[in-house]
Amino acid sequence: MKNIAVLMGGYSHEWEISLKSGEVISQNLDTSLYNVYPIHILKDGWYYIDGMDSRHEINKNNFSLNINDHEILFDCCYNTIHGTPGEDGKIQAYLELLEIPQTSCDSYQSAITFNKRDCIAVLKPWNITTGRHLYINQGDVIDAEMIARNIGLPCFVKANRSGSSFGVSKVYKVKEMDAALDAAFEVDEEIIIESFLNGVEVSVGAYQIDDKINVLLPTEIVSENDFFDYEAKYEGKSQEITPARITPENMLAVQETTRRIYQVLKLKGLARADFIFHKGIPHFIEVNTNPGMSKESIIPQQIKASGASLQNVLTDIIENTIKHHTS
């Protein structure tokens, strides 16, 4: 029996969502193969809570637990932390130094993909189509009229290093820009301003086993709100239709673009790329390398629609992670 640590939580606004993802992962791991340890990675500590509600602290020197004077070392970490430190490369770098395999992409790739600006910059030379963007740092002189002229209205103002739609606003008028910037700066000191793309929004999951990148069926997102915000994602204010109601040609195009993005960025484990079909072409929005895995999340829906079981996919990913770490 292998010892598997399911890492969840994190230090960002997304920590509660990550706990829900970690709970789903823990419940769906094959207990005939694995001893499963849900590990909270939070600002107040790194710990495991056992069946008696006793809290056991992680020894950060070697990422181990001590339970009843017995040291537990881990064969693999299933990383489902959203945001820092699990999606921006920090936990990956720590585990790489300890030579403990983890299921998400490596530290360098995580750092690039978590930063929306850097990710777009890496992908553009590979002919991945995106919208127009402007970048602002906290303290910059801001000209709302200039932003509106260059990007157009409406536009999106986003925290550069965040997920789950925290720090995101849709701006229709120049006079709304300041409030949107303030909301984004509350989440991150870097901001990305993105042109509005009118079209069908889809999200596509993928994971790699050995040399094969498995691309899942796209999900179409129809938000009851003005865009796919926090309420739409996690509070039932959206329809998520899998497979997406798009033509076979468009489905193939967005799946192949997802495969290319996964390959170019050298991703690992489950990842999810988001697109908007604007004028018939899938425009890349962002990629999540530790996508939500809660009951409301898109990836579990896509795995089910593909005819696979979540347990089998998780087993394949863990075994492949261990195999390639030791090979």
Side-chain angles (χ1 to χ4, degrees):
M1 296 277 283
K2 292 169 183 165
N3 293 329
I4 307 299
V6 180
L7 311 185
M8 62 185 83
Y11 302 165
S12 74
H13 293 78
E14 302 174 80
W15 69 272
E16 289 180 291
I17 300 160
S18 175
L19 293 184
K20 291 181 180 178
S21 292
E23 187 179 339
V24 169
I25 296 295
S26 300
Q27 289 170 352
N28 283 278
L29 290 184
D30 188 340
T31 53
S32 71
L33 298 174
Y34 308 127
N35 299 312
V36 180
Y37 294 87
I39 306 293
H40 290 63
I41 306 289
L42 298 169
K43 286 181 178 178
D44 72 344
W46 296 13
Y47 54 87
Y48 162 68
I49 297 175
D50 66 21
M52 306 297 289
D53 285 336
S54 296
R55 176 166 157 166
H56 303 271
E57 300 290 334
I58 286 283
N59 179 353
K60 293 182 184 177
N61 290 319
N62 62 353
F63 199 77
S64 65
L65 284 172
N66 191 298
I67 300 176
N68 299 326
D69 292 326
H70 175 63
E71 185 181 53
I72 296 167
L73 299 169
F74 294 103
D75 297 284
C76 184
C77 294
Y78 194 101
N79 180 4
T80 188
I81 299 169
H82 308 328
T84 190
E87 204 169 5
D88 58 359
K90 292 176 182 174
I91 206 89
Q92 288 88 342
Y94 163 76
L95 293 171
E96 283 164 13
L97 287 171
L98 293 176
E99 298 186 347
I100 300 172
Q102 59 85 38
T103 55
S104 186
C105 56
D106 296 336
S107 55
Y108 178 70
Q109 285 76 15
S110 296
I112 287 172
T113 53
F114 189 66
N115 187 309
K116 296 181 180 72
R117 301 179 186 181
D118 290 353
C119 188
I120 290 164
V122 169
L123 289 174
K124 273 195 172 179
W126 296 86
N127 295 320
I128 303 297
T129 305
T130 69
R132 297 187 308 279
H133 300 90
L134 271 178
Y135 306 133
I136 296 174
N137 292 332
Q138 203 154 30
D140 287 353
V141 175
I142 295 167
D143 184 339
E145 294 278 0
M146 180 274 292
I147 292 169
R149 281 196 306 273
N150 288 345
I151 294 295
L153 294 175
C155 68
F156 285 100
V157 176
K158 299 180 175 182
N160 185 43
R161 295 167 295 188
S162 181
S164 299
S165 297
F166 286 111
V168 179
S169 303
K170 189 174 182 181
V171 174
Y172 287 89
K173 298 176 182 176
V174 171
K175 65 182 182 181
E176 298 169 357
M177 190 68 71
D178 287 346
L181 292 168
D182 288 344
F185 278 133
E186 282 182 15
V187 177
D188 190 14
E189 62 187 18
E190 298 177 1
I191 284 178
I192 182 168
I193 299 174
E194 185 176 86
S195 60
F196 170 68
L197 299 170
N198 189 30
V200 176
E201 183 170 354
V202 299
S203 192
V204 191
Y207 64 97
Q208 184 166 349
I209 302 297
D210 295 331
D211 294 329
K212 184 183 179 186
I213 298 170
N214 299 281
V215 181
L216 300 170
L217 289 168
T219 295
E220 178 183 349
I221 296 157
V222 184
S223 176
E224 292 177 20
N225 295 346
D226 200 19
F227 62 96
F228 196 44
D229 61 5
Y230 182 90
E231 276 191 339
K233 283 183 179 178
Y234 299 108
E235 296 177 6
K237 298 284 186 177
S238 69
Q239 279 184 283
E240 293 163 5
I241 302 160
T242 309
R245 298 170 300 182
I246 54 179
T247 65
E249 292 79 14
N250 282 349
M251 185 169 291
L252 183 62
V254 78
Q255 286 179 312
E256 285 307 309
T257 303
T258 300
R259 190 188 312 278
R260 193 143 181 261
I261 288 167
Y262 195 106
Q263 199 168 29
V264 166
L265 295 174
K266 298 182 179 177
L267 302 184
K268 186 160 73 74
L270 277 164
R272 196 193 77 228
D274 299 336
F275 303 87
I276 291 177
F277 272 94
H278 182 64
K279 297 182 179 178
I281 297 168
H283 285 58
F284 171 75
I285 306 299
E286 64 183 27
V287 64
N288 293 279
T289 57
N290 280 2
M293 294 295 291
S294 67
K295 291 173 184 175
E296 299 83 14
S297 296
I298 290 168
I299 292 286
Q301 297 175 33
Q302 293 184 353
I303 289 171
K304 185 178 179 181
S306 72
S309 79
L310 181 55
Q311 184 178 93
N312 289 344
V313 169
L314 297 178
T315 298
D316 287 346
I317 288 170
I318 288 169
E319 293 302 319
N320 204 248
T321 299
I322 295 169
K323 171 183 168 183
H324 286 280
H325 187 267
T326 55
S327 61

